[in-house]
């Protein structure tokens, strides 16, 4: 972790800061008077400017400075928060991302254009303030009077360990003006009790400067949350007091009455954030993957140990084996949690998308998100982002109608897109639902026929017809827009979801809207499985899909032959004889078992010879040679070194349902 | 009883990376000095590489020596990284009335 590139860390943090700024701005579009959000956006811009400048992103710092100044006026009540201003800063926020991505690119034209827009929005002539430019940040209007500041500060004890050089900060203070310093060493422990890498010294500084308070505070911007700082204006009463301008604090006002930027950092939200920051550690995802592999191997080794311990009469060995089993299980669970992220991080980016699309299309759209706390593996989140963007764009472009059309068809003018997530068993279901016009079946059919995807007049179930939209090259949009309608995307969406071992369901009612549900496995690495034997082979059934296990008596087996249904509490459940399905060529055990598995409402029984027990399963993907084998989703290595195949529950249930349908059709 | 001066010469890297070793060296010198009731002299080299951890250690050493009744003298040159660090940190006055002697030129 020591070799993290500071620039890369800055980029990551800046991107997060930009997201926070964007979220704040989007909240403000709903409530322009939300003081908390205005302050939050200002703080975000302030931090971005400061850190950008420190890491050499001069264009970003210069550009952000103007947005910060504009928001500072709003914050101080000198300018109103208008939707024009929010829109201008939102546009600017997008540009900041570009400045972050390409710090040395030529952004002058765009910067100037956006800054002019910003200055118009904030209600002052562009020329009356620092002129829009992309050079070094122009100073805030110079404060004509020199003020005397008393600054007492104590940096965080671990600041030197964390790479902060207190001498550098003191040098920066000296650069602000005349600076008298004295050291406070009253917290310095004796030699035998001190940790020499910690900082125990504090400083008292008297600074005489014409720079505003914010510049003194800016010196400490990166340690502000953890340090102790007391900054007082102690300008003698005889000094000329000049009316305040943009950034400086009014001398007449007691510092406690008007919160300074630093004091605002101390809001509960900021405190919580700083708490989070100090409690969290950034770890590259790659290292988590490596660790996951190690844990996987450990689980396999533990499983072997467990089997060996079970086969000898050595209580000591058994006790150690059980202890290791417990620890390996806990380690596995902890490892799984480490990789989990709430889908909120995925959903939040759609607010901006919807906001922009509403502006582009002239549609009125409300985005509703639910289940943001649902957690999914980080890899899954990363890979879901693009498909979801496409689906949301499709809903808005093809699904939602223009306000006048909605009113004409008796709907509210504002269309709704609902993004929701919830967990069912070992899957997460993410749905994108809109209340638009729904999918026009006739058009889908016509298009599919025209593209040769189906035969003219071919009989298709409703679901099969709807699935046509995921065919490569399919598009029902009559005109190509910026958003969608290029006939690429939906097939890519489907491939991505399938690559995650997930599935897509489409529901759509013409006139009332569509719903697309993505079912994604919660994790991609380890599952709890039920180990069963069929013939001479061992197989693993994902435990989350197992509902119950029953004995299939010889009598019931004979009675059901040809029908393959069992009666389960007055419900007929189809079952599959795995021995037949896998063509083991062996005789059935006299007491076969039925493992009832389900996904949601659909249930299927699997007839096996023996249930061995539960088994922690590290999923090893199968080779490309086995791509066509659909009954298995992977393989695992058992404690004795043998391989067991993992059954693909969704596929087996589909097969069972198909068998049921055929039998029902046959009467 | 004749007292023999314990001299601890600090040279080379005297930064946060070596601060623990420097502290150990100071403690060892104090330990010996205490056992033999001899005074301790810490001599800072003009060519050392130092950061804020060194003056902080010396301030602590000064207070510890006073507590333990050890006679301590710190000698440092009037130029070089240590002197610059003291100046930058506003620390010169912190040693006032204590054991630090800033030497001019080659004065020993």
């Amino acid at each position: 972790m020591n070799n993290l590139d500071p620039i890369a860390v800055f980029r990551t943090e800046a991107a997060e800061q930009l997201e926070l700024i964007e979220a704040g701005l989007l909240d403000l579009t709903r409530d322009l008077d939300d003081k908390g959000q205005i302050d939050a956006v200002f703080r975000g811009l302030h931090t971005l400017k400061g850190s950008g400048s420190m890491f050499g992103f001069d264009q970003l710092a210069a550009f952000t400075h103007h947005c910060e100044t504009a928001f500072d006026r709003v914050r101080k009540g000198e300018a109103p928060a208008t939707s024009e201003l929010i829109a201008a800063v939102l546009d600017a926020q997008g540009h900041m991302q570009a400045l972050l991505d390409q710090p040395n690119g030529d952004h002058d034209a765009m910067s100037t254009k956006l800054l002019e827009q910003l200055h118009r929005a904030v209600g002052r002539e562009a020329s009356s303030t620092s002129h829009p430019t992309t050079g070094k940040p122009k100073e805030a209007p110079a404060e004509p009077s020199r003020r005397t500041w008393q600054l007492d500060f104590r940096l965080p004890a671990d600041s030197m360990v964390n790479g902060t050089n207190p001498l550098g900060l003191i040098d920066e203070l000296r650069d602000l003006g005349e600076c008298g310093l004295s050291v406070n060493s009253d917290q310095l422990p004796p030699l035998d009790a001190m940790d020499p890498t910690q900082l125990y010294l504090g400083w008292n500084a008297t600074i005489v400067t014409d720079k505003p308070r914010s510049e003194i505070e800016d010196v400490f911007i990166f340690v502000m949350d953890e340090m102790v700082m007391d900054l007082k204006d102690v300008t003698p009463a005889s000094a000329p007091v000049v009316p305040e301008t943009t950034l400086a604090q009014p001398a007449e006002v007691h510092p406690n009455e008007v919160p300074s930027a630093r004091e605002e950092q101390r809001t509960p939200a900021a405190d919580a954030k700083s708490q989070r920051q100090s409690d969290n550690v950034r770890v590259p995802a790659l290292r988590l993957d490596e660790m996951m592999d190690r844990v996987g191997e450990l689980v396999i080794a533990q499983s072997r140990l467990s089997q060996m311990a079970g086969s000898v009469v050595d209580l000591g060995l058994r006790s150690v084996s059980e202890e290791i089993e417990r620890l390996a299980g806990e380690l596995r669970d902890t490892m799984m949690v480490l990789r989990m992220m709430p889908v909120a991080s995925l959903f939040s980016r759609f607010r901006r998308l919807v906001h922009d699309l509403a502006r582009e299309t002239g549609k009125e759209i409300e985005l509703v998100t639910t289940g943001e706390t649902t957690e999914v593996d980080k890899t899954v989140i990363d890979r879901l982002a693009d498909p979801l963007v496409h689906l949301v764009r499709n809903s808005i472009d093809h699904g939602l109608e223009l306000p006048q059309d909605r009113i004409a068809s008796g709907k509210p003018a504002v269309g709704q897109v609902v993004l929701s997530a919830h967990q069912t068993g070992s899957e997460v279901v993410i749905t994108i639902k809109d209340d638009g016009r729904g999918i026009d079946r006739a058009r889908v059919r016509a298009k599919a026929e025209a593209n040769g995807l189906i035969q003219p007049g071919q009989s298709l179930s409703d679901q099969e017809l709807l699935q046509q939209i995921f065919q490569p090259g399919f598009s029902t949009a009559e005109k190509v827009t910026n958003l969608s309608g290029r006939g690429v995307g939906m097939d890519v969406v489907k491939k991505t979801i399938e690559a995650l071992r997930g599935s897509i369901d489409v529901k759509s009612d013409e006139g009332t809207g569509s719903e697309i549900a993505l079912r994604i496995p919660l994790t991609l690495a380890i599952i709890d499985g039920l180990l069963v034997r069929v013939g001479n082979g061992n197989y693993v059934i994902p435990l989350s899909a197992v509902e119950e296990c029953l004995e299939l008596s010889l009598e019931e087996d004979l009675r059901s032959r040809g029908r393959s249904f069992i009666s389960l509490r007055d419900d007929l459940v189809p079952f599959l004889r795995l021995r037949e399905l896998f063509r083991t060529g062996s005789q059935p055990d006299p007491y076969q078992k039925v493992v009832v598995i389900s996904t949601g409402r659909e249930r299927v029984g699997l007839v096996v010879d023996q249930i061995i027990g539960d088994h922690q399963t590290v999923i090893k993907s199968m080779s490309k040679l086995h791509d066509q084998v659909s009954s298995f989703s992977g393989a695992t290595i058992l404690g004795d070194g043998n391989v067991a195949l993992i059954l693909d529950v969704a596929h087996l249930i589909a097969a069972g349902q198909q068998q049921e349908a055929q039998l029902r059709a046959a009467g | 009883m004749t007292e023999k001066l314990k001299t601890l010469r600090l040279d080379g890297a005297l930064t946060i990376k070596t601060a623990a070793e420097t502290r150990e060296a100071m403690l060892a010198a104090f330990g010996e000095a205490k056992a033999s009731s001899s005074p301790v002299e810490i001599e800072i080299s003009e060519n050392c590489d130092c950061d804020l951890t060194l003056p902080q250690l010396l301030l602590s050493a000064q207070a510890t020596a006073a507590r333990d009744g050890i006679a301590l003298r710190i000698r440092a040159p009037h130029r070089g990284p240590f002197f610059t660090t003291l100046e930058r940190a506003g620390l010169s006055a912190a040693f006032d009335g204590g054991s630090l002697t800033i030497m001019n030129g080659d004065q020993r």
Side-chain angles (χ1 to χ4, degrees):
Chain A
M1 245 63 22
N2 298 328
N3 52 0
L4 283 183
D5 176 9
I7 298 287
V9 173
F10 163 71
R11 279 182 196 273
T12 310
E13 289 178 354
E16 282 170 10
Q17 202 63 252
L18 281 171
E19 274 179 31
L20 289 176
I21 292 169
E22 183 184 84
L25 289 168
L26 290 169
D27 282 340
L28 278 173
T29 56
R30 289 190 189 160
D31 179 6
L32 289 171
D33 298 324
D34 188 339
K35 183 83 172 62
Q37 289 299 344
I38 291 171
D39 288 344
V41 172
F42 170 77
R43 278 198 304 273
L45 293 166
H46 184 67
T47 307
L48 190 65
K49 178 189 80 170
S51 49
S53 174
M54 175 172 262
F55 285 94
F57 287 69
D58 290 341
Q59 289 199 64
L60 174 68
F63 182 79
T64 309
H65 169 74
H66 293 284
C67 297
E68 180 204 4
T69 309
F71 245 83
D72 193 46
R73 281 170 56 82
V74 175
R75 190 173 72 108
K76 289 179 173 158
E78 294 168 9
T82 59
S83 47
E84 193 193 354
L85 171 69
I86 306 301
V89 182
L90 263 175
D91 287 344
Q93 184 264 359
H95 185 57
M96 287 170 203
Q97 183 67 55
L99 293 171
L100 182 66
D101 294 340
Q102 293 174 310
N104 299 319
D106 181 8
H107 302 282
D108 281 8
M110 181 54 86
S111 295
T112 307
K113 182 178 154 220
L114 287 169
L115 288 176
E116 279 168 1
Q117 185 183 337
L118 180 72
H119 285 279
R120 273 197 305 277
V122 85
R124 58 175 161 168
E125 299 304 315
S127 57
S128 74
T129 64
S130 43
H131 192 75
T133 170
T134 52
K136 274 280 185 196
K138 289 275 189 285
E139 295 303 327
E143 205 174 10
S145 65
R146 282 161 71 84
R147 313 200 74 84
T148 306
W149 300 90
Q150 179 65 49
L151 170 66
D152 300 336
F153 66 96
R154 192 171 278 282
L155 298 172
D158 59 358
S159 48
M160 293 193 294
V161 180
N162 290 337
T164 302
N165 180 4
L167 297 176
L169 300 182
I170 292 168
D171 288 346
E172 280 186 52
L173 278 183
R174 285 211 172 88
D175 289 345
L176 294 174
E178 296 164 29
C179 179
L181 269 183
S182 65
V183 174
N184 180 349
S185 59
D186 56 2
Q187 289 186 15
L188 186 64
L191 206 51
D192 44 13
M194 83 181 290
D195 174 351
T197 62
Q198 299 290 296
L199 182 62
Y200 299 97
L201 304 177
W203 281 266
N204 312 108
T206 305
I207 306 160
V208 182
T209 177
D210 56 4
K211 299 282 194 298
R213 166 189 279 264
S214 61
E215 289 210 19
I216 302 174
E217 290 168 336
D218 273 358
V219 168
F220 302 100
I221 195 159
F222 290 101
V223 284
M224 197 171 265
D225 283 340
E226 289 91 28
M227 71 181 288
V228 179
M229 177 163 106
D230 185 20
L231 178 60
K232 288 188 204 116
D233 183 350
V234 292
T235 310
S238 57
V241 175
V242 178
E244 269 306 309
T245 50
T246 315
L247 281 170
Q249 288 292 338
E252 300 85 351
V253 181
H254 190 274
N256 291 340
E257 290 169 19
V258 176
S260 68
R262 179 185 146 259
E263 284 155 347
E264 281 164 24
Q265 298 264 14
R266 290 270 172 238
T267 58
D271 277 350
K273 182 170 170 270
S274 101
Q275 183 66 30
R276 275 200 310 278
Q277 279 173 345
S278 57
D279 285 351
N280 291 343
V281 179
R282 276 179 203 281
V283 180
L286 196 64
R287 294 197 183 177
L288 282 185
D289 291 342
E290 283 171 11
M291 198 167 161
M292 191 73 198
D293 274 351
R294 304 276 188 284
V295 172
E297 299 300 324
L298 175 69
V299 168
I300 290 173
Q302 173 274 315
S303 184
R304 294 186 64 179
L305 173 67
S306 177
Q307 265 192 9
M308 287 164 72
S311 62
V312 293
V313 190
D314 182 338
L315 289 179
L317 179 62
R318 279 194 191 182
S319 156
V320 171
S321 164
E322 278 165 17
E323 180 73 8
I324 291 180
E325 182 175 351
R326 183 179 63 79
L327 290 172
E330 285 172 5
L331 187 61
R332 183 203 67 165
D333 291 346
T334 310
M335 195 59 226
M336 300 306 300
V337 173
L338 280 185
R339 295 186 51 91
M340 296 299 219
M341 287 173 69
V343 290
S345 59
L346 185 61
F347 283 2
S348 59
R349 65 187 80 176
F350 291 102
R351 295 181 64 199
R352 176 64 183 271
L353 179 72
V354 169
H355 175 269
D356 290 352
L357 292 185
R359 281 210 303 183
E360 277 178 46
T361 57
K363 294 175 181 177
E364 292 177 31
I365 313 164
E366 180 192 13
L367 176 71
V368 180
T369 55
T370 63
E372 291 100 327
T373 52
T374 311
E375 292 196 324
V376 195
D377 192 284
K378 185 191 178 303
T379 317
V380 176
I381 292 227
D382 291 346
R383 286 160 72 177
L384 270 181
D386 286 347
L388 272 183
V389 166
H390 207 86
L391 292 172
V392 170
R393 279 173 172 270
N394 260 305
S395 279
I396 290 172
D397 199 29
H398 300 320
L400 295 184
E401 311 92 330
L402 287 166
Q404 60 270 27
D405 297 341
R406 291 180 62 86
I407 291 168
S409 54
K411 292 180 182 177
V414 180
Q416 202 179 52
V417 175
V418 183
L419 268 178
S420 64
H422 69 276
Q423 188 182 339
T424 60
S426 63
E427 285 185 331
V428 159
V429 182
I430 294 179
T431 53
I432 304 100
K433 190 176 168 186
D434 66 70
D435 64 348
R437 58 173 75 92
I439 297 175
D440 183 342
R441 265 78 167 174
R443 247 170 61 196
V444 170
R445 177 173 278 279
K447 197 85 185 178
E449 286 180 1
N451 288 353
L453 300 171
I454 57 170
Q455 296 299 316
Q458 184 181 340
S459 160
L460 289 175
S461 70
D462 190 50
Q463 194 51 232
E464 284 171 330
L465 184 63
L466 288 178
Q467 288 286 337
Q468 295 301 317
I469 61 172
F470 296 111
Q471 296 275 6
F474 181 91
S475 173
T476 60
E478 279 157 5
K479 59 175 183 182
V480 170
T481 68
N482 272 343
L483 314 184
S484 49
R486 292 179 194 279
V488 290
M490 287 302 255
D491 58 320
V492 179
V493 169
K494 188 166 193 233
K495 273 186 199 145
T496 311
I497 301 303
E498 284 176 348
L500 288 168
R501 292 195 280 118
S503 62
I504 302 189
D505 293 327
V506 190
K507 278 191 244 164
S508 181
D509 292 320
E510 287 189 43
T512 53
S514 308
E515 178 179 330
I516 295 185
L518 312 177
R519 306 180 79 90
I520 316 284
L522 210 51
T523 174
L524 307 171
I526 295 186
I527 54 167
D528 268 321
L530 186 69
L531 188 63
V532 298
R533 182 176 60 79
V534 181
N536 295 321
N538 291 321
Y539 301 88
V540 174
I541 304 172
L543 203 56
S544 55
V546 174
E547 278 208 343
E548 57 189 299
C549 300
L550 311 163
E551 190 164 298
L552 182 69
S553 65
L554 202 59
E555 187 188 42
E556 212 170 357
D557 188 18
L558 289 172
R559 205 171 54 214
S560 66
R561 197 148 288 279
R563 283 176 42 238
S564 297
F565 278 95
I566 47 165
S567 174
L568 196 65
R569 292 183 285 280
D570 297 333
D571 210 4
L572 278 182
V573 176
F575 64 77
L576 298 168
R577 293 168 202 278
L578 293 187
R579 207 164 16 77
E580 291 172 12
L581 193 66
F582 300 157
R583 299 193 191 111
T584 60
S586 59
Q587 286 298 310
D589 276 25
Y591 298 101
Q592 296 181 87
K593 308 288 184 297
V594 182
V595 180
V596 180
I597 57 171
S598 75
T599 55
R601 284 162 300 177
E602 292 144 348
R603 292 192 292 176
V604 162
L606 303 175
V607 180
V608 303
D609 286 327
Q610 188 190 355
I611 293 171
I612 299 171
D614 63 340
H615 181 80
Q616 282 187 352
T617 301
V618 181
I619 302 176
K620 301 278 178 192
S621 51
M622 300 213 286
S623 76
K624 284 214 174 294
L625 278 177
H626 302 94
D627 269 357
Q628 302 302 315
V629 184
S630 48
S631 300
F632 306 109
S633 59
T636 187
I637 300 165
L638 299 177
D640 57 9
N642 281 326
V643 172
L645 295 170
I646 302 166
L647 301 186
D648 186 334
V649 169
H651 174 80
L652 290 171
I653 286 184
Q657 297 294 323
Q658 200 178 355
Q659 172 182 306
E660 181 186 1
Q662 282 167 357
L663 288 170
R664 282 187 201 278
Chain B
M1 192 166 66
T2 51
E3 298 165 355
K4 192 164 182 275
L5 182 70
K6 295 279 166 205
T7 302
L8 175 64
R9 189 172 158 76
L10 297 178
D11 198 358
L14 300 167
T15 62
I16 190 166
K17 287 182 184 165
T18 55
E21 290 167 32
T22 311
R23 184 186 81 116
E24 289 305 318
M26 287 179 182
L27 280 173
F30 278 21
E32 285 175 34
K34 225 171 161 180
S36 60
S37 304
S38 50
V40 175
E41 182 178 87
I42 299 177
E43 195 183 317
I44 318 282
S45 152
E46 185 183 325
N47 300 318
C48 71
D49 174 19
C50 92
D51 61 15
L52 192 59
T53 56
L54 180 62
Q56 186 176 257
L57 270 171
L58 291 171
L59 273 178
S60 175
Q62 184 173 273
T64 309
R67 181 196 68 183
D68 295 349
I70 299 170
L72 171 71
R73 187 165 57 152
I74 305 169
R75 291 157 63 91
H78 191 255
R79 55 180 176 247
F82 178 71
F83 185 74
T84 312
T85 302
L86 285 190
E87 292 286 295
R88 280 175 78 193
L91 269 165
S92 306
F95 286 95
D96 276 358
S99 49
L100 179 67
T101 308
I102 299 289
M103 298 167 300
N104 286 311
D106 293 328
Q107 177 191 335
R108 289 294 305 258

